[in-house]
Amino acid sequence: MTNRKEPDVSIPTAATLTRTERQADIRINGLAKSYGLPGHEVLAMSDVTLDVASGEFVAVVGASGCGKSTLLRILAGFEKPSTGSVLVGGTPVTGPGSDRGVVFQDYGLFPWLTVRENVAYGPRQHGVSRRAARETADEFLALVGLTRSAGKFPGQLSGGMQQRVAIARVLANNPAVLLMDEPFGALDALTRTDLQAELRRIHRANAATVLFVTHSIEEAVYLADRVVVMTGGAAHGVPGHIRQIVPVNLGDNRDPSSSEFNAVKRMIADLVHEGSDHV
Ligand SMILES: Nc1ncnc2c1ncn2[C@@H]1O[C@H](COP(=O)(O)OP(=O)(O)OP(=O)(O)O)[C@@H](O)[C@H]1O
Ligand SMILES: [Mg+2]
């Protein structure tokens, strides 16, 4: 992994933004999800119980098909669980809500709005003045290195750039909970390590509760307070489930080249591989 440069812009914090009601923990209890027609259902995920404290950063890793995206879609309110319950900030999730910011692999940008307008959209919806929303948008676009693309339309950007706009747009809403499903998967290595460092700094500054799905164990260990290892899935004949939750006690300044870092990484890799044929 390359050196992560410090971003040269100051990070907008909760204080510079408008929303105040932004403390939320996540309580997931006995969650299961099956897909298919009644009588022909396949249990994709079962028995998932997990509490994420307010302000905690939790990464989820595991082989393809073990139910990571299913879990995040249920938390986002895009899908209903078959059994079990999810509480965010003590409130049952019944659908999407502005308390939860979502970055999934399909960017979900509005193609008819410019990059700046896409990022300013959420603050505008929350009653922020046009001028302040524009300033917020520009701050976050600087953060993801897209100042010069602010006036372009999403269709004029590369996939990785669109993904950065999607990240800026979610951060500009300052949600209490961030749900991120492989948000850096489409980025080149350099941009990815820059954004990892920035996400850590943003998280320290604004203390959102984060659930972050990634295929990169290194990314999980670099970012998270705890790493949830999931295994199983249809291809393995058992529903996806949590195999183990690994605390990452490496402090704030993590060095991916250190032996401590690599020991945690190896341990998680072993857990992922034991339960699957491939990652
Ligand atoms: N809409 C759907 N209809 C039917 N089956 C589905 C649907 N969505 C997911 N599944 C199944 O549920 C299981 C879990 O899928 P999910 O997308 O959550 O896995 P994942 O861990 O995110 O995998 P990946 O790492 O490849 O993104 C898989 O077996 C998948 O085929
Ligand atoms: Mg997925």
Side-chain angles (χ1 to χ4, degrees):
M1 196 180 274
T2 52
N3 287 335
R4 293 176 171 80
K5 78 170 167 44
E6 292 291 296
D8 53 6
V9 290
S10 66
I11 289 171
T13 63
T16 66
L17 296 161
T18 51
R19 303 194 62 232
T20 49
E21 72 288 4
R22 47 179 315 292
Q23 284 267 305
D25 59 349
I26 302 172
R27 301 178 81 89
I28 303 165
N29 193 16
L31 208 61
K33 177 72 184 175
S34 50
Y35 289 106
L37 299 169
H40 302 278
E41 290 169 327
V42 176
L43 195 53
M45 185 189 82
S46 77
D47 229 359
V48 171
T49 294
L50 173 69
D51 286 348
V52 183
S54 179
E56 194 180 12
F57 196 125
V58 170
V60 182
V61 300
S64 186
C66 68
K68 305 179 296 295
S69 297
T70 301
L71 175 63
L72 250 66
R73 284 200 302 269
I74 292 172
L75 287 168
F78 298 155
E79 282 185 24
K80 301 248 175 294
S82 304
T83 51
S85 64
V86 178
L87 300 178
V88 171
T91 307
V93 170
T94 54
S98 62
D99 57 333
R100 282 152 289 143
V102 175
V103 182
F104 285 177
Q105 270 170 315
D106 52 346
Y107 325 115
L109 300 176
F110 300 128
W112 59 89
L113 296 180
T114 65
V115 162
R116 180 184 287 117
E117 287 163 350
N118 263 282
V119 180
Y121 183 85
R124 287 288 289 147
Q125 291 293 101
H126 284 103
V128 174
S129 74
R130 190 179 298 275
R131 187 189 159 138
R134 186 188 162 99
E135 281 171 10
T136 300
D138 285 349
E139 278 181 273
F140 282 100
L141 285 172
L143 193 65
V144 297
L146 285 178
T147 297
R148 286 167 53 190
S149 302
K152 292 189 175 160
F153 290 91
Q156 296 173 288
L157 305 182
S158 72
M161 291 164 90
Q162 291 185 51
Q163 186 65 319
R164 283 188 274 157
V165 179
I167 290 165
R169 187 174 63 166
V170 165
L171 293 174
N173 286 329
N174 197 26
V177 172
L178 272 173
L179 303 171
M180 308 180 93
D181 194 351
E182 299 186 49
F184 302 153
L187 304 177
D188 65 87
L190 213 60
T191 308
R192 186 169 182 155
T193 51
D194 281 354
L195 280 181
Q196 286 168 357
E198 283 160 12
L199 181 61
R200 262 184 76 85
R201 282 168 53 104
I202 289 164
H203 179 251
R204 281 208 293 274
N206 79 0
T209 310
V210 185
L211 210 59
F212 184 101
V213 170
T214 177
H215 274 277
S216 163
I217 295 170
E218 176 159 320
E219 184 167 84
V221 174
Y222 180 70
L223 290 172
D225 299 315
R226 289 188 295 157
V227 178
V228 173
V229 180
M230 291 183 71
T231 51
H236 306 283
V238 282
H241 58 278
I242 294 176
R243 179 184 172 88
Q244 197 162 318
I245 300 175
V246 179
V248 184
N249 299 314
L250 294 173
D252 274 348
N253 295 312
R254 299 185 185 180
D255 174 4
S257 64
S258 72
S259 56
E260 297 87 350
F261 190 103
N262 279 286
V264 180
K265 215 173 110 179
R266 257 196 313 277
M267 179 198 171
I268 294 172
D270 287 346
L271 288 165
V272 169
H273 289 286
E274 275 169 27
S276 64
D277 304 326
H278 64 282
V279 179

